Each structure stands twice: as structure tokens, then as C-alpha cells.
Amino acid sequence: MAVDLDKGSTSQADEPAVVTRQPSRRRRWLTRAVVTVIVALVVVLIGLALLLGLTPSAGSAPARVAGILATHGAPSDDGVVPAKVGEALLATEDSRYHSDWAIDPQGTVRAVWGVVSRNPNEGGATIEVQLAKMLYTPGSTDPISLTEQVAIAIKLDHDFSKTRILALYLDAAYFGDGAYGVTDAAEHYFGVEPDQLTWGQATLLAGLVQAPSNYDPHGHLKAALTRRAHVLARLVAVGTISRSEAKSIEGEQLKPVIAFYG
């Protein structure tokens, strides 16, 4: 009788198939995302390093501020930040000033959008970035200048204290009607020293720096007061003053500005 030699043996076809697990779609996507983020960060860091090397030193900032004041015959505040103006300015222009490090992600996105949408007043830049623009790239709103401003802002934040940067900003800022720096502005509009400003006066001045020509109280008093109301609302929002205090300040008689046009 013929014997089936294959009987009882396992054929190749009957052998269990080896299953190779393929990485899941989610895992592949996550890996690609992580790699993309790492590459992007490397590119940004390299670009930032190049910019830090190519842009001017922030150490020249005080001399540049002194040059602006000298050109316009305006006095300096000698590094002192008038309390009310300083608080009003930060509440309006950069409420995270003391916690950021020269770059505010939300503000940067808004500023970039302002360039893309050709609306340079979109705002959102930190005090450091605004100071860099005043001193190093005045009048420029193109993407290259915006990038330079960010690099110099980082240098400013590294080289100077927050108080010193704010003092430089208030000295360099244009407050309209030929007034440069907060000392000149306080004397020009109200005939007082910066530390003697009332909340009503300080909030009006703080509102001018965004668009000095548009909010100049000598020519656009209604717009200046509307802008001041916004500054007061920001002070309430950050908890510096109460809503009732803001209401009282809005009713303050602003002399000599109001008297001059009353």
C-alpha cells in the first residue's frame, strides 16, 4: 500500500501568516507634525540668531532718545516714569508688559496681520517693539522692518530693565502738536510736570501715542476724549481703577485744553 509521505506534515500553505503591524495613521501624522515643528523651530532660531547679529546694538537706545529730544528742543524725564501715565499707557498698549519678554505672541500675530492687510494701525506690538520702531526703523511698516524691530526689541529687553525701557519710550514718543516726550507733552497741554498730572490728563496723553495727529486735542478734541474713554476702560479692565472712578474721571475738567477750546 502506498504511503503518503506528506501525511501528517504541515504544508507551507497551512503555516500561519506573519502579521506585520503598520504604524497607525494617527501615529504617522503625529510623527510628521513633531518633525515639522522641530524643523520650523530650528529655522526660526537660526534666522533669529542671524537677525540678532545683523541688527544694531540696543545699547545706543538712550543716545538715540537724547538725539530726538535735542532735535526738537524737548526736555527729558531723566529716566523717571510718571506713575499715572505709565499705568495708563501699559493698560492700553501692552497690558502684559511686565510678564512678557519683548514679544507678545498675540500681539505679534495682530501686527503681522496688519502688515499683510496693509493696515499698519492694527497694532498689538509690545512696548519694546514700538520703541525699536521709533528709534531704529521710524515710519517703516514692511515685513523686513517688522522683523528687525522684533530682533532689536529682544536686545532691549536683555539690556535694560522694564522701568528703563518704559522711561525711554515715554521720552521718545510723539504726543502730537509738536510735543515730544511726556515731559514736553505735560507742559504743552496742561502746564504741569508729568508727576502732577491728574488721571484725566494722564489718560488723555496715554491715548495720543497711537495716532498723535488723529487724537491731537488741539484739533480733534472730540476724538481725543473718545480715545481717553477707551484708555479708562482698559484701566478698569486690568483692575487699576474701578468703574465708578473711571466715570468720575471722564467728568474731569481738563484745563487748559478744555478751557482753550471751550
Side-chain angles (χ1 to χ4, degrees):
M1 181 175 64
V3 178
D4 187 355
L5 297 177
D6 291 330
K7 189 175 180 180
S9 66
T10 304
S11 67
Q12 185 174 359
D14 294 332
E15 291 181 358
V18 178
V19 179
T20 303
R21 289 190 176 182
Q22 297 296 327
S24 68
R25 182 176 300 177
R26 180 179 298 178
R27 185 175 180 182
R28 290 198 303 271
W29 179 89
L30 183 60
T31 301
R32 290 173 184 172
V34 170
V35 172
T36 301
V37 169
I38 292 174
V39 171
L41 285 174
V42 170
V43 171
V44 168
L45 289 174
I46 292 174
L48 185 58
L50 290 173
L51 280 171
L52 291 174
L54 294 173
T55 50
S57 166
S60 63
R64 289 173 183 261
V65 172
I68 291 174
L69 295 173
T71 298
H72 299 283
S76 169
D77 206 37
D78 297 324
V80 178
V81 177
K84 291 185 175 68
V85 177
E87 290 186 50
L89 180 75
L90 293 182
T92 310
E93 297 291 324
D94 188 358
S95 60
R96 289 179 289 275
Y97 178 67
H98 289 291
S99 60
D100 66 34
W101 50 283
I103 303 174
D104 175 18
Q106 296 178 35
T108 301
V109 169
R110 290 197 300 273
V112 171
W113 174 248
V115 173
V116 173
S117 63
R118 298 184 180 180
N119 179 19
N121 292 324
E122 184 68 24
T126 62
I127 291 295
E128 291 92 345
V129 171
Q130 292 184 46
L131 180 60
K133 180 178 181 179
M134 289 180 196
L135 301 182
Y136 297 89
T137 60
S140 300
T141 58
D142 58 278
I144 293 177
S145 295
L146 178 62
T147 307
E148 290 177 355
Q149 292 159 20
V150 170
I152 296 171
I154 293 172
K155 294 181 179 182
L156 286 167
D157 190 69
H158 177 269
D159 291 355
F160 301 101
S161 68
K162 290 288 189 179
T163 300
R164 181 63 169 146
I165 291 170
L166 185 56
L168 290 170
Y169 180 100
L170 287 170
D171 261 352
Y174 179 54
F175 289 86
D177 204 40
Y180 283 84
V182 68
T183 300
D184 194 23
E187 293 174 351
H188 178 77
Y189 289 116
F190 304 111
V192 300
E193 294 295 319
D195 60 354
Q196 297 174 329
L197 290 166
T198 64
W199 269 120
Q201 295 167 339
T203 48
L204 187 139
L205 290 185
L208 296 180
V209 296
Q210 185 193 63
S213 298
N214 295 338
Y215 299 127
D216 174 8
H218 283 177
H220 306 282
L221 183 56
K222 185 176 180 180
L225 294 177
T226 299
R227 176 65 178 166
R228 185 186 69 164
H230 170 72
V231 176
L232 287 168
R234 288 297 307 146
L235 282 166
V236 172
V238 300
T240 304
I241 61 175
S242 67
R243 218 173 274 278
S244 60
E245 286 173 322
K247 194 69 176 176
S248 176
I249 293 167
E250 280 189 329
E252 180 185 325
Q253 293 297 308
L254 293 181
K255 297 178 180 181
V257 174
I258 300 295
F260 186 83
Y261 287 94

